[in-house]
Amino acid sequence: MAAALVEPGGRVAAYDRVATPDGPAPDGTALDAEGLWRTLEALLGKLAADAGDPPLAGVGAGCGGPMTWPGAEVSPLNIPAWRGFPLRARLRDRYPGLPVRVHNDAICVAIGEHWRGAGRGRGNVLGMVVSTGVGGGLVLGGRLVDGASGNAGHIGHVVVDPDGPPCECGGRGCLEAVARGPGLVAWAQEQGWRPGSPDVTGIELAADARRGHPVAVAAMRRAGHAIGVAVASATHLCDLEVTAIGGGVSQAGALLFDPLEEAFRAHARMDFARRVRIVPAALGQTAGLIGAAALVFAGDRYWSAD
Amino acid sequence: MAAALVEPGGRVAAYDRVATPDGPAPDGTALDAEGLWRTLEALLGKLAADAGDPPLAGVGAGCGGPMTWPGAEVSPLNIPAWRGFPLRARLRDRYPGLPVRVHNDAICVAIGEHWRGAGRGRGNVLGMVVSTGVGGGLVLGGRLVDGASGNAGHIGHVVVDPDGPPCECGGRGCLEAVARGPGLVAWAQEQGWRPGSPDVTGIELAADARRGHPVAVAAMRRAGHAIGVAVASATHLCDLEVTAIGGGVSQAGALLFDPLEEAFRAHARMDFARRVRIVPAALGQTAGLIGAAALVFAGDRYWSAD
């Protein structure tokens, strides 16, 4: 879990983070919902105290999905301790009188990139995170698209190959099934890649690709192709100007972006679609925190609920 | 070309149409841009005169793409006589002082279905036309999505099979390449279907499917599967509530909608996506005219330009 104090202009004034174990807590007891909440409260309290407890305009939070929205009972896939945890209500109790707004973490990254990052000044932007999963958020006509239930932006479940690999969602051939870090690692291992560590992720695979390992390079090409197809579909459907891509897998740089661009150009042939720019995300690991702050500071564009 | 007088509530008070030949004009001269414009002017004049020249609130028009937007210099693919024809400017000259608004014809169908048809009362709707081409329009958060250049809604160029058939757009495996009427007719003929007429379209193919011709049924299954995959992708990206499908091919009814629903259910497995309803368009051939009227009567929702 990470927290930041963000200024109205988007500058991160203070930042801190703490690991969220999915097993037992450090003292040996099982990590339950309340234990995790206390860990978050402590992180928030320490961050504010170290900065001299400045006045707050509000509280924005990004959390892994799924969640109900805008009520934000959260059940983040990778944090089993929270299932239907009332995150927004708890933050409201903790910060009475302040606006409290919670959205999907990938949506917060997309908001951050639109507000102060690679999509700044553009009206129609897709922000993507290619990491353990593949998530995203969609800004159209200068405003965040929430959709019917706050779930718009799920670029990871755009179908890139109807006969492709099964996806965790129960479907088949989703972008996420092909391009998420663990999927790429599994594919590379099948092709004979032998990582140095057992806890390997897409970040190590991307690093090995940069060192020239042919299987790792091929894995990045595979991911890039799938992302290019999905972005072509999204561009045709939404008439985008910019797609900003972050997350660990994107650290492969040109080894990912070159095949991505090639696949995109092969499929996005209409004049309006060819104008979209596909760029690396600009804000790095604080993008989601800056986007969460924008839920408060720029709610007219990014927060349609109450 | 079709024209209607539409009341503020969306009722069609008067309607007329005239064929738009793509060869020579009826008098033997080549159909040029001005000849086609005079045909349209005559249609509009007669329609209004027959109705007693009622006062007009404005003029809305849907035209085949591509076009510049919102300026609406139109170059409809199927009407070679108009290339860069200044349709909006001409209508403004013809109706001085009135608002004149022009958008893509498939977008007007989608607007019509949202305003008064199958998507009425819903905030997040995809309207589709499956006909000679596959077009569409997107309403999110209760407002039409225009995108960067007025081209949002191109569901026909969502990729449903990256290795699929080449598309007229220059890409490969677009929904339109698989599911448009002429593509289905060509595929069915390859499979041994022998239509009764040489000028056969998807409408005859759909009719033959209803009569039980196995190749025609298989063609509808092929189209339905491709549409289901594309709608699953669109639903994940945009968190839709309703997808309304019209156009000649949709006249196959359950022969199209059953395999469509089956493919959609196989690929749209996330909870939020399973809630979308996929339904036949409700307004029939006047949907686009009603939507064009909504550009004027409900411009706050459907017209973001000036």
Side-chain angles (χ1 to χ4, degrees), chain A residues 11-104:
Chain A
R11 198 181 78 86
V12 174
Y15 169 85
D16 202 0
R17 60 188 297 175
V18 61
T20 47
D22 57 2
D27 65 1
T29 59
L31 185 77
D32 64 2
E34 295 304 323
L36 190 59
W37 167 250
R38 284 192 297 273
T39 306
L40 176 59
E41 267 200 311
L43 174 67
L44 296 172
K46 179 173 184 304
L47 186 77
D50 287 352
D53 278 315
L56 299 179
V59 179
C63 185
M67 70 176 67
T68 62
W69 182 87
E73 297 195 345
V74 302
S75 308
L77 279 180
N78 298 318
I79 306 180
W82 278 357
R83 285 293 170 269
F85 184 78
L87 180 60
R88 192 178 181 200
R90 288 304 185 85
L91 287 168
R92 279 176 157 159
D93 291 345
R94 175 77 176 70
Y95 297 97
L98 291 183
V100 171
R101 295 167 179 177
V102 181
H103 221 316
N104 182 283

XYZ file of all heavy atoms in Angstrom, chain A residues 11-104:
691
model
N 1.672 18.007 -7.600
C 2.997 17.616 -7.129
C 2.879 16.729 -5.897
O 2.059 16.985 -5.009
C 3.820 18.863 -6.784
C 5.331 18.613 -6.712
C 6.112 19.878 -6.334
N 6.037 20.152 -4.902
C 6.863 19.630 -3.984
N 7.826 18.803 -4.348
N 6.724 19.942 -2.698
N 3.697 15.666 -5.856
C 3.717 14.789 -4.684
C 4.626 15.416 -3.629
O 5.837 15.511 -3.814
C 4.215 13.384 -5.069
C 4.380 12.519 -3.825
C 3.236 12.731 -6.054
N 4.022 15.855 -2.513
C 4.789 16.527 -1.459
C 5.382 15.524 -0.484
O 6.429 15.791 0.122
C 3.889 17.517 -0.716
N 4.733 14.404 -0.309
C 5.257 13.371 0.604
C 4.716 12.029 0.142
O 3.605 11.940 -0.392
C 4.815 13.659 2.042
N 5.514 10.987 0.378
C 5.175 9.660 -0.156
C 5.703 8.604 0.789
O 6.798 8.739 1.344
C 5.815 9.506 -1.540
C 5.762 8.102 -2.107
C 4.643 7.653 -2.808
C 6.836 7.225 -1.937
C 4.601 6.370 -3.328
C 6.801 5.935 -2.464
C 5.676 5.512 -3.148
O 5.625 4.245 -3.660
N 4.918 7.559 0.986
C 5.421 6.431 1.768
C 4.683 5.170 1.331
O 3.631 5.245 0.705
C 5.215 6.686 3.279
C 6.161 5.839 4.129
O 6.977 5.064 3.563
O 6.079 5.951 5.364
N 5.261 4.021 1.649
C 4.586 2.781 1.281
C 4.895 1.694 2.295
O 5.849 1.772 3.064
C 4.983 2.323 -0.119
C 6.471 2.067 -0.285
C 6.823 1.814 -1.744
N 6.167 0.617 -2.228
C 6.199 0.185 -3.482
N 6.862 0.881 -4.386
N 5.600 -0.926 -3.842
N 4.079 0.654 2.266
C 4.266 -0.467 3.181
C 3.786 -1.724 2.437
O 2.852 -1.667 1.648
C 3.475 -0.228 4.493
C 1.982 -0.105 4.231
C 3.730 -1.325 5.506
N 4.481 -2.842 2.675
C 4.103 -4.088 2.004
C 2.739 -4.568 2.512
O 2.393 -4.372 3.674
C 5.162 -5.155 2.237
N 1.957 -5.178 1.630
C 0.689 -5.801 2.043
C 0.822 -7.310 1.907
O 0.557 -7.855 0.846
C -0.486 -5.353 1.158
O -0.080 -5.446 -0.201
C -0.925 -3.977 1.484
N 1.251 -7.985 2.975
C 1.416 -9.440 2.879
C 0.060 -10.094 2.643
O -0.955 -9.636 3.166
C 1.982 -9.820 4.243
C 1.546 -8.742 5.170
C 1.458 -7.490 4.342
N 0.058 -11.133 1.826
C -1.209 -11.842 1.649
C -1.259 -13.074 2.546
O -2.241 -13.800 2.555
C -1.475 -12.189 0.182
C -0.370 -13.020 -0.422
O 0.578 -13.348 0.307
O -0.457 -13.331 -1.616
N -0.205 -13.313 3.307
C -0.214 -14.393 4.292
C -0.436 -13.827 5.690
O -1.147 -12.833 5.848
N 0.147 -14.440 6.690
C -0.017 -13.950 8.062
C 0.642 -12.588 8.240
O 1.551 -12.222 7.498
C 0.708 -15.002 8.909
C 0.940 -16.179 8.023
C 0.986 -15.650 6.627
N 0.178 -11.832 9.232
C 0.771 -10.558 9.565
C 2.157 -10.782 10.174
O 2.493 -11.900 10.571
C -0.138 -9.809 10.541
N 2.970 -9.724 10.250
C 4.330 -9.880 10.791
C 4.368 -10.474 12.201
O 5.317 -11.168 12.560
C 4.865 -8.446 10.784
C 4.088 -7.751 9.719
C 2.722 -8.377 9.746
N 3.331 -10.238 12.999
C 3.339 -10.794 14.366
C 2.840 -12.239 14.403
O 2.647 -12.808 15.472
C 2.512 -9.903 15.304
C 1.041 -9.892 14.910
O 0.669 -10.590 13.932
O 0.256 -9.200 15.576
N 2.599 -12.838 13.241
C 2.238 -14.248 13.204
C 0.747 -14.508 13.140
O 0.316 -15.596 12.773
N -0.074 -13.508 13.464
C -1.518 -13.715 13.389
C -1.971 -13.601 11.934
O -1.318 -12.967 11.109
C -2.267 -12.644 14.221
O -1.924 -11.351 13.697
C -1.863 -12.710 15.675
N -3.079 -14.256 11.639
C -3.607 -14.171 10.282
C -3.952 -12.711 9.979
O -4.460 -11.988 10.842
C -4.855 -15.038 10.149
N -3.637 -12.304 8.757
C -3.954 -10.932 8.371
C -5.443 -10.865 8.057
O -5.901 -11.413 7.067
C -3.135 -10.527 7.148
C -3.318 -9.059 6.769
C -2.530 -8.156 7.701
C -2.898 -8.818 5.327
N -6.196 -10.197 8.912
C -7.620 -10.079 8.647
C -7.924 -8.686 8.113
O -7.033 -7.834 7.975
C -8.445 -10.398 9.894
C -8.182 -9.405 11.012
O -7.385 -8.457 10.808
O -8.758 -9.582 12.096
N -9.189 -8.475 7.786
C -9.589 -7.212 7.184
C -9.228 -6.032 8.091
O -8.724 -5.010 7.619
C -11.100 -7.229 6.911
N -9.471 -6.196 9.382
C -9.213 -5.077 10.296
C -7.717 -4.828 10.463
O -7.278 -3.679 10.591
C -9.866 -5.351 11.652
C -11.392 -5.411 11.596
C -12.012 -4.146 10.994
O -11.488 -3.042 11.239
O -13.006 -4.286 10.242
N -6.936 -5.920 10.471
C -5.491 -5.749 10.583
C -4.938 -4.955 9.400
O -4.085 -4.072 9.571
N -5.459 -5.253 8.233
C -4.994 -4.540 7.040
C -5.412 -3.078 7.095
O -4.653 -2.180 6.723
C -5.552 -5.227 5.787
C -4.988 -4.754 4.452
C -3.491 -4.948 4.378
C -5.674 -5.480 3.297
N -6.630 -2.840 7.569
C -7.099 -1.459 7.711
C -6.227 -0.686 8.701
O -5.858 0.459 8.444
C -8.562 -1.455 8.151
C -9.036 -0.114 8.630
C -9.348 0.251 9.901
C -9.230 1.059 7.823
N -9.725 1.557 9.958
C -9.666 2.096 8.693
C -9.080 1.340 6.469
C -9.935 3.383 8.238
C -9.348 2.627 6.036
C -9.776 3.634 6.904
N -5.868 -1.352 9.823
C -4.995 -0.662 10.793
C -3.639 -0.335 10.174
O -3.063 0.718 10.447
C -4.825 -1.519 12.049
C -6.057 -1.511 12.971
C -5.759 -2.124 14.328
N -5.383 -3.532 14.245
C -6.251 -4.555 14.245
N -7.562 -4.331 14.335
N -5.819 -5.792 14.179
N -3.131 -1.234 9.323
C -1.861 -0.966 8.633
C -1.990 0.279 7.748
O -1.096 1.136 7.726
C -1.475 -2.185 7.758
O -1.479 -3.350 8.587
C -0.099 -2.005 7.138
N -3.118 0.379 7.045
C -3.332 1.550 6.183
C -3.479 2.814 7.011
O -2.868 3.853 6.700
C -4.582 1.331 5.318
C -5.001 2.507 4.421
C -3.901 2.885 3.440
C -6.297 2.193 3.664
N -4.266 2.733 8.081
C -4.439 3.904 8.958
C -3.101 4.393 9.500
O -2.849 5.601 9.575
C -5.338 3.537 10.142
C -6.804 3.819 9.934
C -7.542 3.907 11.287
O -7.327 2.983 12.105
O -8.288 4.873 11.497
N -2.252 3.440 9.907
C -0.947 3.817 10.447
C -0.103 4.509 9.381
O 0.575 5.519 9.658
C -0.231 2.579 10.988
N -0.155 3.986 8.165
C 0.598 4.592 7.059
C 0.141 6.023 6.820
O 0.954 6.954 6.693
C 0.405 3.741 5.797
C 0.996 4.267 4.491
C 2.515 4.285 4.541
C 0.516 3.435 3.298
N -1.178 6.210 6.797
C -1.735 7.545 6.552
C -1.380 8.500 7.694
O -1.008 9.659 7.455
C -3.261 7.458 6.388
C -3.770 6.660 5.181
C -5.286 6.493 5.251
C -3.371 7.342 3.880
N -1.498 8.007 8.921
C -1.213 8.853 10.085
C 0.240 9.296 10.112
O 0.544 10.479 10.339
N 1.147 8.357 9.859
C 2.574 8.679 9.890
C 2.932 9.670 8.779
O 3.683 10.633 9.015
C 3.386 7.386 9.724
C 4.900 7.598 9.726
C 5.635 6.261 9.738
C 7.154 6.464 9.849
N 7.705 7.320 8.796
N 2.378 9.447 7.589
C 2.684 10.335 6.467
C 2.278 11.770 6.790
O 3.044 12.719 6.563
C 1.937 9.842 5.221
C 2.253 10.569 3.911
C 3.590 10.107 3.352
C 1.153 10.341 2.886
N 1.076 11.923 7.333
C 0.581 13.260 7.639
C 1.381 13.879 8.789
O 1.746 15.061 8.735
C -0.908 13.207 7.993
N 1.666 13.090 9.815
C 2.398 13.613 10.981
C 3.792 14.080 10.571
O 4.246 15.162 10.970
C 2.472 12.545 12.076
N 4.482 13.254 9.761
C 5.831 13.636 9.335
C 5.832 14.944 8.561
O 6.832 15.667 8.533
C 6.437 12.531 8.438
C 6.823 11.295 9.242
O 6.760 11.359 10.496
O 7.175 10.269 8.630
N 4.696 15.234 7.889
C 4.603 16.466 7.091
C 4.009 17.614 7.907
O 3.717 18.674 7.355
C 3.759 16.217 5.855
N 3.816 17.411 9.219
C 3.292 18.479 10.066
C 1.781 18.610 9.988
O 1.244 19.695 10.217
N 1.096 17.494 9.690
C -0.371 17.476 9.629
C -0.958 18.672 8.882
O -1.697 19.485 9.450
C -0.963 17.385 11.044
C -0.975 15.947 11.548
O -1.369 15.042 10.780
O -0.564 15.721 12.702
N -0.667 18.779 7.606
C -1.217 19.887 6.816
C -2.727 19.732 6.643
O -3.259 18.619 6.761
C -0.487 19.747 5.471
C -0.193 18.285 5.371
C 0.087 17.823 6.766
N -3.432 20.842 6.355
C -4.877 20.717 6.082
C -5.107 19.912 4.808
O -4.339 20.027 3.851
C -5.333 22.165 5.902
C -4.099 22.913 5.521
C -2.945 22.220 6.194
N -6.175 19.099 4.806
C -6.465 18.240 3.657
C -7.704 18.749 2.912
O -8.681 19.170 3.537
C -6.716 16.801 4.116
C -5.555 16.100 4.827
C -5.979 14.690 5.249
C -4.317 16.041 3.941
N -7.658 18.688 1.588
C -8.819 19.052 0.771
C -9.775 17.878 0.630
O -10.961 18.063 0.343
C -8.359 19.504 -0.615
N -9.264 16.691 0.818
C -10.081 15.500 0.656
C -9.188 14.275 0.570
O -7.962 14.368 0.685
N -9.821 13.125 0.390
C -9.093 11.862 0.330
C -9.508 11.133 -0.946
O -10.692 10.861 -1.154
C -9.400 10.994 1.566
C -8.659 9.665 1.486
C -9.035 11.742 2.849
N -8.539 10.820 -1.787
C -8.775 9.996 -2.965
C -8.014 8.697 -2.816
O -6.922 8.668 -2.252
N -8.609 7.610 -3.283
C -7.947 6.312 -3.174
C -8.171 5.482 -4.412
O -9.252 5.486 -5.002
C -8.468 5.559 -1.944
N -7.137 4.769 -4.827
C -7.255 3.762 -5.873
C -7.074 2.392 -5.248
O -6.196 2.197 -4.414
N -7.914 1.458 -5.628
C -7.842 0.107 -5.053
C -8.047 -0.912 -6.170
O -8.791 -0.661 -7.121
C -8.917 -0.046 -3.975
S -8.834 -1.630 -3.108
N -7.397 -2.047 -6.036
C -7.593 -3.118 -7.012
C -9.043 -3.564 -7.051
O -9.739 -3.544 -6.042
N -9.508 -3.967 -8.236
C -10.889 -4.414 -8.387
C -11.024 -5.900 -8.120
O -10.016 -6.571 -7.900
N -12.248 -6.425 -8.122
C -13.476 -5.650 -8.330
C -13.914 -4.888 -7.076
O -13.480 -5.182 -5.971
C -14.493 -6.740 -8.669
C -13.992 -7.982 -8.023
C -12.496 -7.867 -8.028
N -14.775 -3.907 -7.307
C -15.395 -3.164 -6.203
C -16.778 -2.737 -6.653
O -17.061 -2.693 -7.853
C -14.559 -1.922 -5.850
C -14.585 -0.816 -6.894
S -13.665 0.691 -6.405
C -11.974 0.110 -6.381
N -17.649 -2.464 -5.691
C -18.855 -1.742 -6.053
C -18.463 -0.280 -6.203
O -17.532 0.195 -5.548
C -19.946 -1.869 -4.981
O -19.462 -1.294 -3.758
C -20.305 -3.333 -4.730
N -19.145 0.417 -7.090
C -18.799 1.813 -7.322
C -20.075 2.603 -7.469
O -21.004 2.111 -8.093
C -17.959 1.934 -8.605
C -17.531 3.336 -8.885
C -16.408 3.960 -8.417
C -18.227 4.309 -9.662
N -16.367 5.253 -8.859
C -17.471 5.501 -9.619
C -19.436 4.305 -10.377
C -17.876 6.667 -10.274
C -19.847 5.468 -11.012
C -19.060 6.631 -10.964
N -20.190 3.787 -6.870
C -19.163 4.530 -6.146
C -19.047 4.195 -4.664
O -18.235 4.807 -3.969
C -19.626 5.978 -6.321
C -21.121 5.887 -6.400
C -21.428 4.586 -7.069
N -19.823 3.260 -4.150
C -19.787 2.963 -2.722
C -18.467 2.390 -2.249
O -18.088 2.538 -1.084
N -17.770 1.716 -3.189
C -16.426 1.205 -2.917
C -16.385 0.220 -1.755
O -15.636 0.389 -0.797
C -15.430 2.347 -2.718
N -17.210 -0.833 -1.857
C -16.909 -2.022 -1.066
C -15.950 -2.827 -1.922
O -16.303 -3.301 -2.999
C -18.191 -2.783 -0.747
C -19.111 -1.937 0.097
C -20.243 -2.726 0.752
O -20.483 -3.865 0.321
O -20.857 -2.192 1.679
N -14.722 -2.949 -1.443
C -13.642 -3.441 -2.299
C -13.314 -4.901 -1.992
O -13.374 -5.344 -0.841
C -12.380 -2.562 -2.157
C -12.699 -1.104 -2.504
C -11.785 -2.673 -0.762
N -12.977 -5.641 -3.062
C -12.583 -7.051 -2.948
C -11.362 -7.291 -3.838
O -11.401 -8.117 -4.745
C -13.739 -7.952 -3.396
O -14.949 -7.629 -2.729
N -10.253 -6.567 -3.582
C -9.122 -6.657 -4.514
C -8.636 -8.096 -4.672
O -8.354 -8.779 -3.677
C -8.056 -5.758 -3.877
C -8.500 -5.535 -2.474
C -9.981 -5.670 -2.456
N -8.513 -8.531 -5.922
C -8.153 -9.923 -6.228
C -6.914 -10.374 -5.474
O -6.856 -11.497 -4.979
C -7.893 -10.067 -7.732
C -9.113 -10.215 -8.621
C -8.691 -10.341 -10.069
C -9.945 -11.422 -8.188
N -5.909 -9.488 -5.382
C -4.623 -9.899 -4.812
C -4.532 -9.673 -3.304
O -3.474 -9.849 -2.722
C -3.482 -9.172 -5.519
C -3.445 -9.529 -6.993
O -3.625 -10.687 -7.362
N -3.234 -8.530 -7.839
N -5.612 -9.226 -2.678
C -5.604 -8.996 -1.222
C -6.777 -9.756 -0.616
O -7.842 -9.195 -0.353
C -5.690 -7.483 -0.899
C -4.577 -6.723 -1.634
C -5.593 -7.252 0.603
C -4.573 -5.219 -1.382
N -6.587 -11.058 -0.366
C -7.704 -11.892 0.106
C -8.300 -11.424 1.433
O -9.458 -11.744 1.731
C -7.083 -13.287 0.261
C -5.754 -13.239 -0.407
C -5.336 -11.812 -0.532
N -7.531 -10.665 2.225
C -8.062 -10.218 3.519
C -9.260 -9.278 3.347
O -10.086 -9.154 4.255
C -6.958 -9.528 4.329
N -9.337 -8.608 2.223
C -10.461 -7.695 1.989
C -11.419 -8.316 0.983
O -11.104 -8.456 -0.198
C -9.966 -6.339 1.453
C -9.473 -5.417 2.542
C -9.492 -5.653 3.877
C -8.910 -4.108 2.369
N -8.966 -4.574 4.564
C -8.594 -3.611 3.653
C -8.632 -3.315 1.253
C -8.024 -2.355 3.855
C -8.065 -2.066 1.451
C -7.770 -1.579 2.740
N -12.583 -8.671 1.463
C -13.659 -9.133 0.571
C -14.903 -8.355 0.945
O -15.437 -8.506 2.050
C -13.900 -10.642 0.729
C -12.834 -11.519 0.078
C -12.867 -11.384 -1.460
N -11.733 -12.003 -2.132
C -10.586 -11.373 -2.424
N -10.392 -10.113 -2.069
N -9.623 -11.992 -3.082
N -15.333 -7.470 0.073
C -16.454 -6.601 0.392
C -16.126 -5.616 1.510
O -17.014 -5.171 2.250
N -14.873 -5.232 1.620
C -14.472 -4.314 2.689
C -14.943 -2.888 2.360
O -14.691 -2.379 1.264
C -12.948 -4.339 2.863
C -12.479 -3.496 4.010
C -12.588 -3.968 5.321
C -11.948 -2.234 3.804
C -12.170 -3.186 6.391
C -11.533 -1.441 4.858
C -11.644 -1.922 6.165
N -15.605 -2.220 3.318
C -16.205 -0.897 3.031
C -15.175 0.225 3.095
O -15.210 1.066 3.990
C -17.266 -0.758 4.120
C -16.713 -1.537 5.274
C -15.929 -2.684 4.669
N -14.272 0.250 2.123
C -13.134 1.168 2.182
C -13.570 2.629 2.203
O -13.057 3.435 2.983
C -12.200 0.914 0.993
C -10.951 1.800 0.914
C -10.080 1.640 2.150
C -10.150 1.482 -0.346
N -14.547 2.966 1.355
C -14.953 4.370 1.307
C -15.597 4.797 2.625
O -15.315 5.879 3.150
C -15.912 4.596 0.131
C -16.134 6.072 -0.152
C -17.044 6.316 -1.353
N -17.203 7.743 -1.578
C -18.193 8.285 -2.266
N -19.112 7.515 -2.812
N -18.275 9.603 -2.414
N -16.445 3.935 3.164
C -17.108 4.263 4.435
C -16.078 4.407 5.561
O -16.169 5.320 6.395
C -18.134 3.176 4.780
N -15.079 3.531 5.596
C -14.057 3.630 6.641
C -13.237 4.908 6.528
O -12.905 5.551 7.518
C -13.124 2.413 6.568
C -13.768 1.127 7.038
C -14.300 1.294 8.470
N -14.814 0.034 8.951
C -14.035 -0.902 9.524
N -12.742 -0.705 9.708
N -14.564 -2.044 9.923
N -12.891 5.269 5.278
C -12.127 6.508 5.085
C -12.980 7.723 5.466
O -12.479 8.695 6.035
C -11.645 6.610 3.631
C -10.493 5.662 3.265
C -10.284 5.618 1.748
C -9.185 6.070 3.963
N -14.288 7.644 5.193
C -15.172 8.745 5.602
C -15.223 8.869 7.120
O -15.241 9.983 7.659
C -16.583 8.508 5.062
C -16.744 8.921 3.620
C -18.146 8.566 3.146
N -18.538 9.385 2.013
C -19.502 9.052 1.160
N -20.198 7.932 1.330
N -19.801 9.829 0.153
N -15.268 7.728 7.811
C -15.257 7.777 9.284
C -13.944 8.369 9.791
O -13.915 9.108 10.778
C -15.427 6.362 9.865
C -16.818 5.807 9.618
O -17.720 6.600 9.262
O -16.997 4.585 9.778
N -12.876 8.028 9.106
C -11.544 8.476 9.534
C -11.330 9.948 9.242
O -10.585 10.630 9.966
C -10.506 7.604 8.810
C -9.049 7.971 9.002
C -8.522 7.531 10.354
N -7.092 7.815 10.493
C -6.573 9.028 10.613
N -7.364 10.095 10.622
N -5.258 9.197 10.734
N -11.958 10.460 8.160
C -11.789 11.855 7.738
C -13.146 12.543 7.641
O -13.590 12.915 6.546
C -11.058 11.925 6.383
C -9.655 11.359 6.438
C -9.386 10.049 6.052
C -8.597 12.141 6.890
C -8.099 9.536 6.114
C -7.307 11.635 6.964
C -7.069 10.326 6.571
O -5.798 9.815 6.644
N -13.813 12.740 8.769
C -15.177 13.293 8.721
C -15.184 14.697 8.110
O -14.280 15.480 8.356
C -15.609 13.308 10.189
C -14.350 13.228 10.983
C -13.361 12.486 10.144
N -16.170 14.952 7.289
C -16.323 16.283 6.698
C -15.560 16.476 5.408
O -15.774 17.474 4.712
N -14.667 15.560 5.073
C -13.903 15.710 3.831
C -14.511 14.859 2.721
O -15.052 13.780 2.979
C -12.452 15.259 4.044
C -11.580 16.126 4.944
C -10.155 15.568 4.973
C -11.577 17.575 4.481
N -14.406 15.317 1.477
C -14.793 14.423 0.380
C -13.861 13.207 0.334
O -12.641 13.353 0.455
C -14.619 15.289 -0.879
C -13.795 16.453 -0.478
C -13.962 16.635 0.999
N -14.455 12.035 0.189
C -13.690 10.792 0.085
C -14.139 10.076 -1.182
O -15.334 9.805 -1.350
C -13.924 9.884 1.305
C -13.288 8.505 1.081
C -13.373 10.526 2.576
N -13.213 9.807 -2.076
C -13.560 9.230 -3.373
C -12.615 8.073 -3.695
O -11.399 8.220 -3.583
C -13.483 10.317 -4.455
C -14.538 11.381 -4.203
C -14.356 12.639 -5.020
N -15.446 13.564 -4.687
C -15.565 14.799 -5.175
N -14.669 15.254 -6.026
N -16.582 15.556 -4.810
N -13.205 6.938 -4.073
C -12.424 5.727 -4.322
C -12.752 5.223 -5.729
O -13.923 5.179 -6.127
C -12.766 4.625 -3.295
C -11.920 3.377 -3.542
C -12.559 5.145 -1.867
N -11.710 4.859 -6.460
C -11.944 4.272 -7.781
C -10.941 3.139 -7.996
O -10.036 2.930 -7.182
C -11.838 5.344 -8.875
C -12.886 5.219 -9.951
N -13.233 4.000 -10.506
C -13.667 6.148 -10.565
C -14.181 4.196 -11.417
N -14.479 5.489 -11.470
N -11.125 2.427 -9.095
C -10.213 1.351 -9.468
C -8.776 1.869 -9.593
O -8.556 2.970 -10.076
C -10.707 0.782 -10.801
C -9.880 -0.380 -11.289
O -8.787 -0.189 -11.809
N -10.385 -1.582 -11.098
